[in-house]
Short mmCIF file of all heavy atoms in Angstrom, two decimals:
data_model
loop_
_atom_site.label_atom_id
_atom_site.label_comp_id
_atom_site.label_asym_id
_atom_site.label_seq_id
_atom_site.Cartn_x
_atom_site.Cartn_y
_atom_site.Cartn_z
N GLN A 1256 -30.67 7.68 -2.43
CA GLN A 1256 -30.51 8.45 -3.65
C GLN A 1256 -31.22 9.79 -3.55
O GLN A 1256 -32.25 9.92 -2.89
CB GLN A 1256 -31.06 7.67 -4.85
CG GLN A 1256 -30.35 6.34 -5.08
CD GLN A 1256 -28.89 6.53 -5.42
OE1 GLN A 1256 -28.54 7.47 -6.12
NE2 GLN A 1256 -28.04 5.66 -4.91
N VAL A 1257 -30.67 10.79 -4.25
CA VAL A 1257 -31.30 12.09 -4.29
C VAL A 1257 -32.55 12.00 -5.15
O VAL A 1257 -32.50 11.64 -6.32
CB VAL A 1257 -30.33 13.13 -4.91
CG1 VAL A 1257 -31.02 14.49 -4.98
CG2 VAL A 1257 -29.07 13.23 -4.08
N GLU A 1258 -33.70 12.30 -4.58
CA GLU A 1258 -34.95 12.18 -5.32
C GLU A 1258 -35.21 13.42 -6.16
O GLU A 1258 -35.03 14.54 -5.72
CB GLU A 1258 -36.10 11.97 -4.34
CG GLU A 1258 -35.99 10.66 -3.55
CD GLU A 1258 -37.17 10.48 -2.64
OE1 GLU A 1258 -38.04 11.37 -2.63
OE2 GLU A 1258 -37.23 9.45 -1.95
N LYS A 1259 -35.67 13.18 -7.37
CA LYS A 1259 -36.02 14.29 -8.24
C LYS A 1259 -37.33 14.91 -7.77
O LYS A 1259 -38.28 14.19 -7.46
CB LYS A 1259 -36.16 13.82 -9.69
CG LYS A 1259 -34.83 13.40 -10.31
CD LYS A 1259 -35.03 12.95 -11.74
CE LYS A 1259 -33.71 12.69 -12.43
NZ LYS A 1259 -32.94 11.64 -11.78
N THR A 1260 -37.39 16.22 -7.76
CA THR A 1260 -38.63 16.89 -7.36
C THR A 1260 -39.51 17.06 -8.58
O THR A 1260 -39.12 16.80 -9.72
CB THR A 1260 -38.30 18.28 -6.78
OG1 THR A 1260 -37.77 19.11 -7.82
CG2 THR A 1260 -37.28 18.17 -5.66
N ASP A 1261 -40.74 17.53 -8.33
CA ASP A 1261 -41.67 17.74 -9.43
C ASP A 1261 -41.17 18.81 -10.39
O ASP A 1261 -41.61 18.89 -11.53
CB ASP A 1261 -43.04 18.15 -8.87
CG ASP A 1261 -43.71 17.00 -8.12
OD1 ASP A 1261 -43.34 15.85 -8.38
OD2 ASP A 1261 -44.60 17.28 -7.30
N ALA A 1262 -40.24 19.66 -9.89
CA ALA A 1262 -39.72 20.72 -10.74
C ALA A 1262 -38.70 20.20 -11.74
O ALA A 1262 -38.31 20.91 -12.66
CB ALA A 1262 -39.08 21.81 -9.88
N ASN A 1263 -38.27 18.94 -11.57
CA ASN A 1263 -37.28 18.38 -12.47
C ASN A 1263 -37.93 17.71 -13.67
O ASN A 1263 -38.99 17.09 -13.56
CB ASN A 1263 -36.41 17.35 -11.74
CG ASN A 1263 -35.40 17.98 -10.83
OD1 ASN A 1263 -35.54 19.14 -10.45
ND2 ASN A 1263 -34.38 17.24 -10.47
N THR A 1264 -37.28 17.82 -14.80
CA THR A 1264 -37.74 17.13 -16.00
C THR A 1264 -37.21 15.71 -15.98
O THR A 1264 -36.45 15.32 -15.09
CB THR A 1264 -37.24 17.87 -17.24
OG1 THR A 1264 -35.82 18.02 -17.16
CG2 THR A 1264 -37.86 19.25 -17.34
N ALA A 1265 -37.59 14.91 -16.97
CA ALA A 1265 -37.19 13.51 -17.01
C ALA A 1265 -35.67 13.34 -17.07
O ALA A 1265 -35.13 12.33 -16.63
CB ALA A 1265 -37.83 12.83 -18.22
N ASP A 1266 -34.99 14.33 -17.62
CA ASP A 1266 -33.53 14.25 -17.70
C ASP A 1266 -32.85 14.77 -16.45
O ASP A 1266 -31.62 14.83 -16.38
CB ASP A 1266 -33.01 15.00 -18.94
CG ASP A 1266 -33.58 16.41 -19.05
OD1 ASP A 1266 -33.77 17.05 -18.00
OD2 ASP A 1266 -33.84 16.85 -20.18
N GLY A 1267 -33.63 15.17 -15.45
CA GLY A 1267 -33.05 15.61 -14.20
C GLY A 1267 -32.69 17.08 -14.13
O GLY A 1267 -32.15 17.54 -13.13
N VAL A 1268 -32.99 17.83 -15.17
CA VAL A 1268 -32.68 19.26 -15.19
C VAL A 1268 -33.85 20.03 -14.56
O VAL A 1268 -35.00 19.86 -14.96
CB VAL A 1268 -32.43 19.77 -16.62
CG1 VAL A 1268 -32.23 21.29 -16.62
CG2 VAL A 1268 -31.22 19.07 -17.22
N ASP A 1269 -33.55 20.86 -13.57
CA ASP A 1269 -34.57 21.64 -12.88
C ASP A 1269 -35.14 22.71 -13.82
O ASP A 1269 -34.40 23.48 -14.43
CB ASP A 1269 -33.96 22.30 -11.65
CG ASP A 1269 -34.99 23.04 -10.82
OD1 ASP A 1269 -35.23 24.22 -11.12
OD2 ASP A 1269 -35.54 22.44 -9.88
N GLU A 1270 -36.45 22.75 -13.93
CA GLU A 1270 -37.10 23.67 -14.87
C GLU A 1270 -36.87 25.14 -14.52
O GLU A 1270 -36.69 25.98 -15.39
CB GLU A 1270 -38.60 23.36 -14.95
CG GLU A 1270 -38.90 22.02 -15.60
CD GLU A 1270 -40.40 21.77 -15.72
OE1 GLU A 1270 -41.16 22.38 -14.95
OE2 GLU A 1270 -40.79 20.97 -16.58
N LYS A 1271 -36.91 25.44 -13.23
CA LYS A 1271 -36.69 26.83 -12.82
C LYS A 1271 -35.25 27.26 -13.13
O LYS A 1271 -35.01 28.36 -13.62
CB LYS A 1271 -36.97 27.02 -11.33
CG LYS A 1271 -36.80 28.46 -10.86
CD LYS A 1271 -37.08 28.60 -9.38
CE LYS A 1271 -36.99 30.08 -8.95
NZ LYS A 1271 -35.68 30.68 -9.29
N GLU A 1272 -34.31 26.38 -12.83
CA GLU A 1272 -32.91 26.69 -13.14
C GLU A 1272 -32.71 26.85 -14.64
O GLU A 1272 -31.95 27.72 -15.09
CB GLU A 1272 -31.99 25.61 -12.59
CG GLU A 1272 -31.90 25.58 -11.07
CD GLU A 1272 -30.93 24.54 -10.57
OE1 GLU A 1272 -30.41 23.76 -11.39
OE2 GLU A 1272 -30.69 24.50 -9.35
N LEU A 1273 -33.40 26.03 -15.41
CA LEU A 1273 -33.30 26.14 -16.87
C LEU A 1273 -33.85 27.49 -17.34
O LEU A 1273 -33.23 28.17 -18.17
CB LEU A 1273 -34.06 25.00 -17.54
CG LEU A 1273 -34.10 25.03 -19.07
CD1 LEU A 1273 -32.70 24.94 -19.65
CD2 LEU A 1273 -34.98 23.90 -19.60
N LYS A 1274 -34.97 27.88 -16.79
CA LYS A 1274 -35.57 29.17 -17.16
C LYS A 1274 -34.64 30.32 -16.80
O LYS A 1274 -34.44 31.25 -17.60
CB LYS A 1274 -36.92 29.34 -16.45
CG LYS A 1274 -37.65 30.64 -16.80
CD LYS A 1274 -38.98 30.72 -16.09
CE LYS A 1274 -39.70 32.02 -16.41
NZ LYS A 1274 -41.03 32.11 -15.71
N ASP A 1275 -34.06 30.26 -15.61
CA ASP A 1275 -33.13 31.31 -15.19
C ASP A 1275 -31.89 31.34 -16.08
O ASP A 1275 -31.36 32.41 -16.40
CB ASP A 1275 -32.71 31.09 -13.73
CG ASP A 1275 -33.85 31.31 -12.75
OD1 ASP A 1275 -34.85 31.94 -13.14
OD2 ASP A 1275 -33.73 30.85 -11.60
N THR A 1276 -31.42 30.18 -16.48
CA THR A 1276 -30.22 30.11 -17.33
C THR A 1276 -30.51 30.65 -18.72
O THR A 1276 -29.70 31.37 -19.30
CB THR A 1276 -29.71 28.66 -17.42
OG1 THR A 1276 -29.45 28.16 -16.11
CG2 THR A 1276 -28.43 28.59 -18.24
N LEU A 1277 -31.68 30.32 -19.26
CA LEU A 1277 -32.06 30.82 -20.58
C LEU A 1277 -32.21 32.34 -20.58
O LEU A 1277 -32.03 32.99 -21.62
CB LEU A 1277 -33.36 30.17 -21.04
CG LEU A 1277 -33.25 28.71 -21.49
CD1 LEU A 1277 -34.63 28.10 -21.69
CD2 LEU A 1277 -32.43 28.63 -22.78
N ALA A 1278 -32.51 32.91 -19.41
CA ALA A 1278 -32.64 34.36 -19.31
C ALA A 1278 -31.30 35.06 -19.52
O ALA A 1278 -31.25 36.27 -19.75
CB ALA A 1278 -33.22 34.74 -17.95
N GLU A 1279 -30.21 34.30 -19.46
CA GLU A 1279 -28.88 34.86 -19.70
C GLU A 1279 -28.70 35.26 -21.16
O GLU A 1279 -27.91 36.16 -21.48
CB GLU A 1279 -27.79 33.83 -19.34
CG GLU A 1279 -27.51 33.68 -17.87
CD GLU A 1279 -26.67 34.83 -17.34
OE1 GLU A 1279 -25.78 35.31 -18.05
OE2 GLU A 1279 -26.94 35.26 -16.21
N PHE A 1280 -29.42 34.59 -22.04
CA PHE A 1280 -29.20 34.78 -23.47
C PHE A 1280 -29.94 36.01 -24.00
O PHE A 1280 -31.04 36.32 -23.57
CB PHE A 1280 -29.67 33.55 -24.25
CG PHE A 1280 -28.86 32.32 -24.01
CD1 PHE A 1280 -29.21 31.42 -23.00
CD2 PHE A 1280 -27.74 32.04 -24.77
CE1 PHE A 1280 -28.47 30.28 -22.77
CE2 PHE A 1280 -27.00 30.90 -24.56
CZ PHE A 1280 -27.36 30.01 -23.56
N PRO A 1281 -29.33 36.69 -24.99
CA PRO A 1281 -30.01 37.81 -25.63
C PRO A 1281 -31.11 37.32 -26.56
O PRO A 1281 -31.12 36.15 -26.97
CB PRO A 1281 -28.89 38.48 -26.43
CG PRO A 1281 -27.96 37.37 -26.76
CD PRO A 1281 -27.98 36.47 -25.55
#
Side-chain angles (χ1 to χ4, degrees):
Q1256 299 297 323
V1257 178
E1258 296 182 359
K1259 291 180 173 60
T1260 66
D1261 292 339
N1263 284 19
T1264 54
D1266 49 37
V1268 175
D1269 184 273
E1270 292 183 337
K1271 182 180 184 304
E1272 290 183 354
L1273 177 62
K1274 182 179 179 180
D1275 292 343
T1276 303
L1277 286 170
E1279 282 283 323
F1280 293 91

